[in-house]
Amino acid sequence: MAGTRSEQSGGEGTGRRQRKAPATVGAETTEEIVEPLPREALEQALVEIKRVIAGQDEMLERVLVCLVAGGHLLIEGVPGLAKTLTIKTTAAVLGGTFRRVQFTPDLVPSDLVGTRLFRPDTATFDVELGPVFCNFLLADEINRAPAKVQSALLEVMQEHQVTIGHDTFPVPDPFLVMATQNPIESEGTYPLPEAQVDRFLLKVLVDYPQRDEELTVVQRSLIDPPKVRQVLEVDGLRSLQRSALEVYVDPSLVGYAVTLAAATRKPAAYGLTELGQLISYGASPRGPIALIQAARALAVVHGRDYVLAQDVRALVKDAFRHRLVLSYQALAEERSADDVLNIVISAVREPQLDLGRRTGIVAA
């Protein structure tokens, strides 16, 4: 994570370990050390995660982005790429409550959100809350659950509450769903409806590790796995989420995000006539919203209090790929959402920022 101007000046949000003035008691002088700021704890959390996960740097960065932005994350990749391990390890170093649900075709909504139980001795109903009442929910192989379960999960992802009978119960704050999806096994799966995938802030595709990374993975399998330590409390995560809301976003970057989304809806208006036959539906308005929120969080992860154009560009595919509905022609030609977005990104001009007016620095 790169240093910033604010780190060099020792300002608030640098993540440095700050010290209070010495307190004199009688003839003795003591110095009180304050706990690390959340920014520093975020770096320590990444170090702890990397003790378990070898490589997959981009995936780990996107996990932190979703945590800071307070958005849900969908990770897709073939089995064995440490998707589940990454999420479990992340929850372990962040504190808070963690639950894991293995999604299967026989899962029912009550297994997820809870149910009402009749007590014969009192002739009353009690509510038994389900595993979604936690800070971090791991929805493993989410595309294996039937439609009723998807609908139950939809409410809690969007509204952060669950309705059981006539009562509504809020889930803890923060509440993040981190889901995994297997793209190669279609038997016994239920493709996520567009309304649900739209609730995920980012969708990250995980590829095979590099050779050196895989060597490290195999070597680590020969010894006992390391025990990670908790380095960031839930309150610290909330502080990071509040700091992301204060990150400066230039209006031209907001316009850039909106233009990128518009180019997926009406590609002919942006000189991309050939894409019109490949896209049935473009990115929803949640696309540019998620893109800017994620860019703010990425700036926090990189130690900045302002967003750069490269932050937005780096996250376009993660924020848009699950919000595009490709046509049958695109599927027949084996064109992916990333193929379409690569063309859109190349066609839409990136804004040139003059951040010197506000920050006293020269934009790259």
Side-chain angles (χ1 to χ4, degrees):
M1 300 180 184
T4 66
R5 173 179 51 84
S6 59
E7 286 177 337
Q8 295 169 357
S9 62
E12 183 180 358
T14 62
R16 291 184 173 183
R17 185 181 295 274
Q18 298 181 343
R19 296 177 180 268
K20 290 185 177 180
T24 304
V25 182
E28 296 182 359
T29 299
T30 61
E31 186 176 45
E32 181 181 355
I33 300 179
V34 182
E35 290 300 315
L37 292 173
R39 173 68 180 82
E40 183 182 73
L42 189 64
E43 292 181 344
Q44 294 175 357
L46 184 60
V47 171
E48 285 296 308
I49 295 171
K50 286 190 173 183
R51 291 178 56 212
V52 178
I53 307 299
Q56 305 292 7
D57 291 341
E58 183 173 316
M59 177 180 67
L60 296 181
E61 184 179 70
R62 299 304 187 263
V63 170
L64 296 181
V65 165
C66 286
L67 290 171
V68 174
H72 308 299
L73 173 66
L74 177 61
I75 302 178
E76 181 177 294
V78 299
L81 296 184
K83 303 183 298 297
T84 301
L85 182 60
T86 295
I87 296 174
K88 290 177 62 177
T89 305
T90 302
V93 302
L94 292 179
T97 54
F98 169 72
R99 298 289 185 273
R100 177 180 184 266
V101 178
Q102 181 68 47
F103 280 51
T104 57
D106 60 348
L107 202 69
V108 295
S110 60
D111 294 331
L112 192 64
V113 301
T115 187
R116 301 174 70 201
L117 299 176
F118 180 72
R119 304 294 184 186
D121 54 340
T122 60
T124 59
F125 285 92
D126 289 343
V127 175
E128 186 74 20
L129 299 180
V132 297
F133 288 87
C134 61
N135 295 118
F136 306 104
L137 175 67
L138 169 55
D140 214 357
E141 294 196 272
I142 190 174
N143 56 325
R144 293 195 178 276
K148 285 187 176 181
V149 177
Q150 304 293 357
S151 298
L153 188 61
L154 189 62
E155 178 190 7
V156 69
M157 288 178 63
Q158 182 64 25
E159 308 296 337
H160 288 199
Q161 66 182 26
V162 168
T163 301
I164 303 176
H166 301 289
D167 299 320
T168 299
F169 303 89
V171 295
D173 178 48
F175 173 73
L176 299 175
V177 174
M178 295 175 281
T180 66
Q181 185 169 276
N182 185 350
I184 63 174
E185 294 182 17
S186 58
E187 185 175 352
T189 62
Y190 300 81
L192 298 181
E194 282 72 20
Q196 182 166 3
V197 295
D198 205 21
R199 263 68 174 185
F200 286 99
L201 184 76
L202 302 178
K203 177 182 177 181
V204 178
L205 302 182
V206 185
D207 202 355
Y208 291 107
Q210 301 294 325
R211 185 178 187 278
D212 291 343
E213 297 170 351
E214 192 165 3
L215 284 173
T216 302
V217 171
V218 175
Q219 289 170 351
R220 288 182 179 180
S221 70
L222 302 177
I223 59 177
D224 292 334
K227 295 182 179 179
V228 297
R229 59 189 179 92
Q230 179 184 328
V231 299
L232 183 62
E233 298 286 347
V234 172
D235 289 340
L237 179 58
R238 292 195 192 101
S239 178
L240 281 167
Q241 291 175 346
R242 288 192 297 269
S243 68
L245 298 177
E246 300 174 357
V247 171
Y248 174 75
V249 183
D250 193 87
S252 64
L253 293 179
V254 177
Y256 180 46
V258 171
T259 301
L260 287 167
T264 66
R265 302 167 193 158
K266 297 181 179 180
Y270 296 87
L272 302 173
T273 308
E274 71 280 4
L275 290 186
Q277 299 177 347
L278 302 179
I279 305 175
S280 295
Y281 296 95
S284 73
R286 285 195 184 97
I289 293 174
L291 181 55
I292 293 301
Q293 289 177 344
R296 272 180 155 181
L298 185 60
V300 172
V301 171
H302 288 173
R304 285 184 271 104
D305 61 356
Y306 54 90
V307 175
L308 296 177
Q310 52 258 41
D311 296 330
V312 178
R313 187 177 64 250
L315 293 165
V316 172
K317 288 188 282 189
D318 295 320
F320 283 8
R321 63 165 57 98
H322 54 300
R323 294 182 165 94
L324 297 183
V325 179
L326 301 183
S327 66
Y328 287 109
Q329 180 173 337
L331 299 177
E333 296 178 3
E334 297 184 348
R335 306 287 290 275
S336 66
D338 284 13
D339 295 333
V340 172
L341 290 172
N342 284 332
I343 298 174
V344 171
I345 294 170
S346 301
V348 177
R349 184 177 180 181
E350 183 180 304
Q352 299 297 317
L353 303 183
D354 183 13
L355 293 175
R357 294 175 301 174
R358 177 180 179 275
T359 62
I361 65 172
V362 178

